[in-house]
Amino acid sequence: MKNTTETIHYDDRIVRYFLMATLLWGGIAFSAGLLVALQLAYWKFNFNLEWLTFGRLRPLHTNAAIFAFAGNAIFAGIYHSTQRLLKTRMASDALSKIHFWGWQLIIIGAAITLPLGYSQSKEYAELEWPLDLAITAIWVVFAVNFFWTIARRRERHLYVALWFYIATIITVAVLHIVNSIEIPVAAFNSYPVWGGIQDALVQWWYGHNAVAFFLTTPFLGLMYYYLPKAANRPIFSYRLSIIHFWALVFIYIWAGPHHLLYTALPDWAQTLGMVFSIMLWAPSWGGMINGLLTLRGAWHLLRTEPVIKFMVAALTFYGMATFEGPLLSIKSVSALGHYTDWIIAHVHGGALGWNGFLTFAMVYYLVPRLWKTPLYSKKLADAHFWVGLLGILLYYTSMVAAGFTQGAMWMAMDKGQLVYPDFVETVVRIVPLYAVRAVGGMLFITGFLIMIYNLYKTIKGAPAPQDEAVVVPARVEQHHAGEGHRRLEGMATVFSILTFLAILVGSAIEIYPTLSIHRYVKPTTKVDPYTPLELAGRDIYIREGCYTCHSQMIRKLDFDVVRYGKPSTAAESMYDRPFQWGSRRIGPDLARVGGKYPDLWHLRHMVDPRSVTPKSIMPTYGWLTQKNTDFLGLRRRVSVLKSLGVPYSDEQVSEADRLAEQQAKTIADGLVTQGAPAGLEKKEMVALIAYLQALGKKGGSDE
Amino acid sequence: MSDQEFDPMTDHEYDGIRELDNRLPEWWLALFGITIIFGFIYWLHYEFGGGHTQVQELNLAMGVIQSVKGSGPSFSEDQLNALFTAETVGKGHEIFTAKCAACHAAEGGGLIGPNLTDKFWLHGKGTSADIFEVIAKGVPEKGMPPWAEQMTEEELVATAAFVHSLKDRNVPGGKPPQGEEAP
């Protein structure tokens, strides 16, 4: 008689690798976060080193938290649960290893290039083109391995966790590729093909859905596996899984424009972004209630099991964040909250509470099982929970308070005049809250360190880990069983294609119309491109991450207009590659800063901001008066922009370096007559001043 | 029929995970429905129903601001001279230190902006009215902000009083003269 069962081994080694990487990068991401938090409380925490300034370190923090910490956590969970849900070992150990090491190398590449200032300035997509290519390649390796494993499954139907993994893999690929279409201009520099409102729309379509498909759908998948396993309870409702999965995948992709309310983005796109964000509320909560109601009859575990504790808190934070998101997407709420720390509070409620705590739950679940040893101390895990929770609450409340305070101060007007015309007043007021936030972050890290100690003690006493062996059916007939959605769950390819179509609809409808920017810019409108020197200055602005604190987008709101001037138009930024609208105002908007101050003011301000604005928290940028501008690289840069449709003359391309040197000489001579030292004409400072003085001066404001 | 509440679906089992098939909570369905209806109506209103565009809304709001703002302060030379007292000069000194010293130096000797303690003037001839005018309306093309947007009338007068008091002090280390000499 033929054997109907066989014994196989799951690849748990790769899970342990990803788990260790999660913990290592988690520590680094959190520490980088604490450092930037301290820099806002007291600017000298950048130690006057260019590599540690806020503008360069903030992208490192966000990328490390999202792609290194959460990324490795997702991979650990997916590799662990997928094998078990499909009753098969991962299809290729080699691909698993390439995925693991490739991803870690990308992270190391990011940790080196971002502090050096190699950045595209597109949030959560700052990494430059060589790393973008590497991410694409590794993601394809992951996808091949995953879908190949699905094809070899010994389970007829795909469980809901796998639906979410499929949506993640497909959508992240689409988002990353479309947002990263760029033309290299140097070894670690590039210009995106998207410009102005296109770039803004594509970037926030990406940015918002990085939250959706990197920080939400994969974690929902993990929740759907680890919560019922840890609580030993059946999932509350299969039909709720179906409804909220498809609703979430279809609706989420539309919501990106809520990051751009009242900007120069066309009204119709903003309206779509807002209404789809509101419709997203219930589908998001679908995941939360399916999780929480699964615990019916198991609530006593909340008292004894740290895993359940962390999961319940994570789901609660998820519920809070997915209520707050739609709320912030309402235009009039956004008018108050946009550019303020309320947004920072919102993302950290999600990142620390939902992603962080769910990851910790998973780690506490996995380590004892992977190392076949009980957890060293449940008490310490408990302590981790409470200290971490306190940290998150402190973080969240202080940043909401800071956001409301600053937002209200910006809006405050009396008899048509701003009550707080001096921007720095609105910063000084919230600096104490930055200190409270840093304490919150420290508590969160303290909890994390307690966990590291606990895991170290657990693993130290464990036997050498082995791959888990299981007896599985030798063969499963893959005929399509069931009806309706049940039948679809047996058809992995069709399921994946439908998921792809679901995210394609909203993407196409929102992005397609902006591909022809002339729909939104009158053909008669004349906007001058940046001169070669201004362009050089712009690239320095991007390198230093100025966009992390300064917006260049005056919203169509009275208090913005009274403070900064006419609202920004689509025409004004149409040649901006990448766009620099920004997302946070720790300093004032710069869209119309050109001509507002003399060149000497800018020089003194960048060498020592406090010499002109006594209470400023901006870093000093002394090295800009030491470093030479890369004049020779300008020809290539100008010519790439010309090929993308920016109206440069042939002379501006072939003579880019000479024209730039000429303009730099004029500015430097002017600075000398105003009392500055001589010899600045070759320095980056002059290029940056040229750029700042050009902002808002290139035409196109009368649309 | 099985009890949805407690009987897992018989053919759903994945690595030991079972599934119930409870009805969707009614409040959740209602929430979903209401947000969809709201979204649809909102969209109809702003796309086709004549809802204000953002530019129209802004113009309305700016109209309101113009109507409450008035025409801005204006004083004659004599009115100002009457207001320039030791008290206003003192108050103006504080404002000058906070807002003007960054460009004109603490003593008024000039730094980024011109020396205010000599006899030379770039804009006007250094009369009380000229000084007030330059402070209130600024010289935006040269980087001097229009302070009427940021200061109250009393603050403008006080600042002008202090700057007026600086004339001819010729503080040491001041910037070389710029503009035309005024008697």
Side-chain angles (χ1 to χ4, degrees):
Chain A
M1 200 179 114
K2 213 174 148 214
N3 275 344
T4 52
T5 61
E6 59 181 317
T7 303
I8 60 159
H9 291 83
Y10 293 142
D11 182 5
D12 285 341
R13 207 162 88 113
I14 197 73
V15 181
R16 288 192 297 271
Y17 272 46
F18 275 118
L19 207 65
M20 287 297 154
T22 305
L23 300 176
L24 172 69
W25 296 121
I28 289 174
F30 304 156
S31 310
L34 179 59
L35 187 54
V36 288
L38 288 169
Q39 289 173 354
L40 292 185
Y42 187 50
W43 69 273
K44 281 192 178 173
F45 270 105
N46 63 33
F47 307 106
N48 234 348
L49 296 170
E50 58 178 292
W51 312 282
L52 295 185
T53 46
F54 184 85
R56 296 197 192 180
L57 216 54
R58 191 251 192 192
L60 181 68
H61 163 61
T62 54
N63 279 279
I66 299 171
F67 300 108
F69 169 66
N72 277 301
I74 294 165
F75 300 141
I78 290 180
Y79 275 86
H80 178 257
S81 60
T82 298
Q83 299 184 77
R84 285 155 175 86
L85 289 169
L86 298 174
K87 289 205 182 79
T88 182
R89 192 182 171 91
M90 287 310 293
S92 162
D93 285 5
L95 290 182
S96 301
K97 277 182 196 148
I98 295 172
H99 176 195
F100 176 80
W101 289 110
W103 196 256
Q104 311 316 317
L105 284 175
I106 291 167
I107 295 169
I108 292 168
I112 294 169
T113 56
L114 289 173
L116 289 175
Y118 297 114
S119 164
Q120 297 192 53
S121 80
K122 301 188 33 151
E123 287 182 60
Y124 331 126
E126 285 93 345
L127 299 180
E128 268 296 351
W129 65 272
L131 290 166
D132 275 344
L133 287 175
I135 292 168
T136 312
I138 295 300
W139 200 261
V140 168
V141 166
F142 172 41
V144 168
N145 203 10
F146 178 82
F147 285 108
W148 189 3
T149 310
I150 285 186
R152 296 175 41 152
R153 69 187 185 275
R154 293 189 179 81
E155 188 79 71
R156 233 171 245 162
H157 297 102
L158 302 180
Y159 175 60
V160 51
L162 293 162
W163 313 347
F164 280 104
Y165 300 162
I166 289 172
T168 301
I169 293 173
I170 292 174
T171 315
V172 169
V174 173
L175 294 168
H176 172 69
I177 290 170
V178 174
N179 191 41
S180 302
I181 305 177
E182 63 226 11
I183 300 182
V185 291
F188 273 94
N189 274 130
S190 62
Y191 292 144
V193 296
W194 315 109
I197 59 169
Q198 285 170 350
D199 196 37
L201 185 66
V202 169
Q203 159 59 27
W204 284 110
W205 164 81
Y206 163 91
H208 179 72
N209 289 298
V211 174
F213 290 91
F214 210 92
L215 298 176
T216 306
T217 54
F219 281 89
L220 282 170
L222 300 179
M223 184 278 290
Y224 270 113
Y225 179 79
Y226 292 104
L227 181 73
K229 290 292 280 185
N232 197 21
R233 292 282 309 156
I235 287 294
F236 168 70
S237 172
Y238 162 67
R239 67 181 81 175
L240 179 55
S241 301
I242 297 175
I243 304 274
H244 100 94
F245 170 79
W246 287 107
L248 202 69
V249 169
F250 177 78
I251 295 175
Y252 233 127
I253 205 88
W254 295 75
H258 72 212
H259 292 257
L260 301 167
L261 298 179
Y262 291 110
T263 66
L265 189 74
D267 282 20
W268 65 264
Q270 298 186 34
T271 300
L272 284 182
M274 168 178 155
V275 299
F276 275 90
S277 303
I278 288 169
M279 288 190 257
L280 198 52
W281 180 9
S284 301
W285 272 21
M288 174 182 68
I289 56 183
N290 222 0
L292 291 179
L293 292 178
T294 293
L295 290 171
R296 288 178 318 164
W299 285 108
H300 59 279
L301 294 174
L302 200 53
R303 282 202 302 275
T304 53
E305 289 307 312
V307 174
I308 302 291
K309 249 182 218 175
F310 275 105
M311 277 188 179
V312 168
L315 280 167
T316 309
F317 276 113
Y318 175 62
M320 272 174 54
T322 52
F323 164 69
E324 196 181 30
L327 180 69
L328 275 163
S329 305
I330 296 170
K331 286 179 190 162
S332 41
V333 180
S334 168
L336 170 70
H338 192 45
Y339 297 132
T340 76
D341 283 314
W342 189 0
I343 309 301
I344 316 300
H346 171 60
V347 296
H348 283 83
L352 304 176
W354 163 239
N355 302 118
F357 268 25
L358 197 80
T359 298
F360 299 150
M362 184 181 83
V363 170
Y364 282 121
Y365 175 89
L366 280 177
V367 168
R369 285 168 177 80
L370 291 174
W371 274 270
K372 306 257 184 302
T373 308
L375 189 67
Y376 169 70
S377 163
K378 271 193 184 177
K379 272 209 175 113
L380 283 179
D382 243 18
H384 173 194
F385 175 81
W386 290 111
V387 173
L389 185 64
L390 185 64
I392 300 174
L393 293 177
L394 215 50
Y395 189 113
Y396 182 80
T397 47
S398 60
M399 285 298 92
V400 168
F404 274 55
T405 304
Q406 202 175 24
M409 287 174 91
W410 291 342
M411 285 174 124
M413 275 203 269
D414 182 34
K415 298 196 192 85
Q417 281 196 316
L418 296 167
V419 177
Y420 304 97
D422 220 355
F423 187 91
V424 76
E425 279 182 89
T426 73
V427 179
V428 169
R429 188 70 69 89
I430 60 172
V431 165
L433 290 166
Y434 283 146
V436 176
R437 180 258 298 270
V439 173
M442 277 179 219
L443 287 175
F444 187 81
I445 293 178
T446 307
F448 175 76
L449 294 177
I450 294 173
M451 176 177 81
I452 296 293
Y453 174 75
N454 203 358
L455 298 178
Y456 168 75
K457 296 294 271 185
T458 307
I459 292 170
K460 205 178 144 215
Q466 285 174 336
D467 286 354
E468 186 185 347
V470 281
V471 180
V472 293
R475 207 159 54 87
V476 172
E477 284 184 42
Q478 294 292 348
H479 66 82
H480 304 309
E483 283 171 24
H485 199 271
R486 190 66 179 151
R487 188 175 160 83
L488 187 61
E489 290 158 32
M491 303 157 78
T493 314
V494 179
F495 191 98
S496 305
I497 292 170
L498 285 178
T499 308
F500 175 66
L501 291 176
I503 61 137
L504 207 60
V505 178
S507 309
I509 290 178
E510 287 187 350
I511 294 173
Y512 182 75
T514 61
L515 292 184
S516 166
I517 203 160
H518 295 290
R519 211 181 292 252
Y520 305 104
V521 177
K522 283 191 215 121
T524 48
T525 304
K526 194 173 167 305
V527 175
D528 294 323
Y530 299 112
T531 66
L533 183 70
E534 290 157 11
L535 186 66
R538 189 171 200 274
D539 288 339
I540 294 163
Y541 183 96
I542 288 169
R543 182 188 75 198
E544 299 302 341
C546 304
Y547 70 91
T548 58
C549 293
H550 295 281
S551 59
Q552 288 185 20
M553 174 48 61
I554 303 167
R555 292 173 296 171
K556 297 197 256 319
L557 291 167
D558 52 358
F559 57 91
D560 250 29
V561 171
V562 169
R563 188 181 295 273
Y564 301 113
K566 277 195 276 189
S568 301
T569 66
E572 286 178 293
S573 57
M574 70 174 161
Y575 301 135
D576 282 11
R577 288 185 168 82
F579 79 116
Q580 290 294 304
W581 295 5
S583 66
R584 174 78 183 92
R585 286 178 184 158
I586 297 171
D589 186 273
L590 300 181
R592 304 207 181 284
V593 79
K596 195 172 172 193
Y597 305 101
D599 290 349
L600 183 63
W601 186 95
H602 283 293
L603 172 66
R604 287 171 53 88
H605 181 248
M606 268 163 322
V607 170
D608 179 12
R610 278 146 294 278
S611 71
V612 287
T613 309
K615 287 168 185 165
S616 170
I617 61 169
M618 183 167 130
T620 59
Y621 287 93
W623 60 86
L624 296 179
T625 57
Q626 321 274 318
K627 289 191 178 183
N628 286 331
T629 304
D630 173 23
F631 289 107
L632 282 178
L634 280 172
R635 284 187 212 176
R636 162 96 184 141
R637 286 165 193 262
V638 176
S639 107
V640 165
L641 287 178
K642 186 170 195 282
S643 72
L644 288 168
V646 182
Y648 282 113
S649 65
D650 290 338
E651 193 212 354
Q652 280 174 305
V653 176
S654 61
E655 300 283 299
D657 48 336
R658 196 182 53 78
L659 291 170
E661 285 180 32
Q662 247 171 29
Q663 194 188 353
K665 181 92 173 62
T666 312
I667 293 173
D669 289 349
L671 278 169
V672 171
T673 63
Q674 291 170 45
L680 285 173
E681 60 270 14
K682 293 207 182 314
K683 303 301 174 191
E684 291 186 335
M685 180 66 83
V686 167
L688 184 55
I689 290 174
Y691 171 62
L692 292 173
Q693 297 290 30
L695 289 175
K697 294 285 180 191
K698 293 292 182 184
S701 66
D702 293 320
E703 280 286 291
Chain B
M1 208 184 134
S2 69
D3 181 354
Q4 289 184 339
E5 193 75 3
F6 297 108
D7 293 343
M9 301 166 84
T10 46
D11 62 337
H12 287 228
E13 198 262 294
Y14 310 88
D15 193 34
I17 299 173
R18 315 288 301 273
E19 290 185 292
L20 303 169
D21 195 22
N22 280 298
R23 277 195 303 274
L24 306 172
E26 272 152 27
W27 65 268
W28 181 84
L29 273 175
L31 179 69
F32 198 14
I34 290 166
T35 56
I36 291 172
I37 293 165
F38 169 82
F40 188 64
I41 293 172
Y42 183 96
W43 179 74
L44 279 182
H45 176 66
Y46 281 97
E47 286 303 309
F48 307 104
H52 285 152
T53 65
Q54 291 182 351
V55 170
Q56 288 168 333
E57 274 178 18
L58 174 66
N59 289 340
L60 285 175
M62 293 309 289
V64 172
I65 287 175
Q66 284 309 321
S67 70
V68 296
K69 215 174 164 181
S71 56
S74 140
F75 295 95
S76 71
E77 182 76 17
D78 293 340
Q79 282 172 317
L80 281 171
N81 285 336
L83 288 167
F84 288 0
T85 62
E87 194 192 339
T88 51
V89 168
K91 193 166 168 247
H93 194 170
E94 286 170 29
I95 299 170
F96 189 90
T97 306
K99 298 194 194 260
C100 313
C103 290
H104 294 284
E107 303 283 311
L111 205 60
I112 295 167
N115 189 339
L116 301 173
T117 66
D118 57 18
K119 283 185 182 171
F120 294 80
W121 295 89
L122 286 159
H123 307 284
K125 291 185 160 57
T127 64
S128 303
D130 287 341
I131 292 172
F132 182 86
E133 173 98 356
V134 171
I135 294 171
K137 296 189 178 155
V139 190
E141 65 277 12
K142 291 197 179 164
M144 169 77 182
W147 289 97
E149 288 172 9
Q150 304 198 17
M151 292 187 196
T152 63
E153 209 170 288
E154 295 84 72
E155 287 171 331
L156 289 171
V157 169
T159 312
F162 177 71
V163 172
H164 187 262
S165 77
L166 291 175
K167 256 204 301 191
D168 283 337
R169 267 198 213 173
N170 293 308
V171 296
K175 235 177 152 177
Q178 291 167 283
E180 287 177 25
E181 190 170 0

